[in-house]
Amino acid sequence: MPNPRLTGLGGGLFCGAVMTLLGGVDALLFGASLTLYGVLFLPVCLLTACWVRGNDLLTAPVVVPIAFAVGLVTVAESGDGLGSRLMGIVTALATEAGWLYGGTLVAGATVIVRRIRLVRRRAAARRRAPV
């Protein structure tokens, strides 16, 4: 299993690019199923939260909802014109809010666990270090 360490910006770019790619694949193969898009969002959130480096942990729960919205451009229903596309994205955000909240919760919980482990590890290292 790869163990990359992404910066906050790198985590956002990774998550946004993957969600856009998965949204495009979903639109091509499954007719833009918003439920499938939401299900695919959850593991992307987990990977983003696992792969962001320790100093940038708090960015993961912030960038995953942004990436969800960015990827929705590929799967949201739209007609002709900018207004129609924006209305499709807003409607998809409203109807798929459960997936959005769930993915953000996954990223947040993962970040909290990683942060607790990091703080404990640092405290143990300080106790072992000679004074």
Side-chain angles (χ1 to χ4, degrees):
M1 184 75 174
N3 193 20
R5 287 293 166 223
L6 303 170
T7 62
L9 178 61
L13 291 173
F14 164 76
C15 194
V18 170
M19 289 313 300
T20 302
L21 178 70
L22 290 175
V25 169
D26 178 19
L28 287 174
L29 299 179
F30 301 103
S33 168
L34 290 174
T35 303
L36 178 62
Y37 179 78
V39 169
L40 293 173
F41 177 62
L42 298 177
V44 173
C45 291
L46 181 64
L47 285 176
T48 302
C50 287
W51 287 351
V52 78
R53 65 185 186 169
N55 292 336
D56 295 327
L57 280 175
L58 296 179
T59 61
V62 174
V63 299
V64 293
I66 296 169
F68 185 86
V70 167
L72 270 180
V73 172
T74 57
V75 293
E77 290 185 26
S78 64
D80 296 332
L82 179 63
S84 178
R85 175 152 312 265
L86 285 175
M87 199 58 176
I89 292 170
V90 169
T91 302
L93 281 170
T95 58
E96 303 302 315
W99 294 112
L100 178 61
Y101 294 150
T104 306
L105 180 66
V106 165
T110 305
V111 162
I112 288 171
V113 169
R114 284 191 59 206
R115 181 69 183 165
I116 290 170
R117 291 179 63 206
L118 181 67
V119 167
R120 286 184 179 170
R121 208 175 311 134
R122 286 180 182 168
R126 262 188 260 118
R127 281 190 298 256
R128 284 190 302 257
V131 177

